[in-house]
Amino acid sequence: MFRAIADVLRQIGGAIATVVTLPFRALARLFGGASSSGRSARRA
């Protein structure tokens, strides 16, 4: 019984974690791509 409840809570926590981290990953990709492209443009 407790194990089943723990599994459900773990799945819910994992889903919340992915939803919370997704926008930050997207922002990091945007800023990372912008900064890397800016660096390459300066070199050229």
Side-chain angles (χ1 to χ4, degrees):
M1 181 75 181
F2 287 114
R3 202 174 286 174
I5 294 170
D7 285 338
V8 170
L9 286 175
R10 215 172 288 147
Q11 287 178 350
I12 292 171
I16 291 171
T18 51
V19 168
V20 168
T21 53
L22 268 174
F24 289 110
R25 281 185 196 165
L27 281 174
R29 236 184 238 172
L30 278 172
F31 286 117
S35 64
S36 64
S37 67
R39 285 180 200 148
S40 62
R42 281 180 199 155
R43 283 182 196 159

